[in-house]
Amino acid sequence: MAQTRRADILTDPAEYDRLEAVARRAKVSVAELIRTAVRERYRRKPTHAQSAVARLAALRLDLPDWDDLARERAEAEDGGLP
């Protein structure tokens, strides 16, 4: 199990009542509501490189068959291509 740390927060009663109402509708505890909000607000943003890799991975390219590529390579090595 991952280690956890405790954080105590102070909030005015009206704000806490609002958190309780939202948590009740979401069927989670106030603590889980706060943890989720912190994760969403402060999650790590992907770096430029990570974003580029994700975009490349999402491309749907019409690539030749592996055997065709191997045959073309062999022909090129044998001088079969101009």
Side-chain angles (χ1 to χ4, degrees), residues 8-71:
D8 293 319
I9 62 168
L10 299 176
T11 184
D12 63 71
E15 192 172 56
Y16 192 82
D17 290 344
R18 172 82 173 118
L19 289 172
E20 281 186 314
V22 172
R24 191 171 29 259
R25 281 195 303 275
K27 297 182 178 165
V28 297
S29 66
V30 171
E32 182 58 28
L33 185 74
I34 292 169
R35 283 190 294 268
T36 300
V38 168
R39 278 187 219 110
E40 288 176 4
R41 173 63 175 90
Y42 297 105
R43 71 177 174 255
R44 288 188 177 154
K45 305 288 191 283
T47 65
H48 179 69
Q50 289 168 327
S51 296
V53 168
R55 286 192 307 274
L56 286 171
L59 291 175
R60 300 291 180 239
L61 301 175
D62 185 24
L63 298 174
D65 181 68
W66 182 255
D67 292 332
D68 292 340
L69 290 173
R71 189 172 32 261

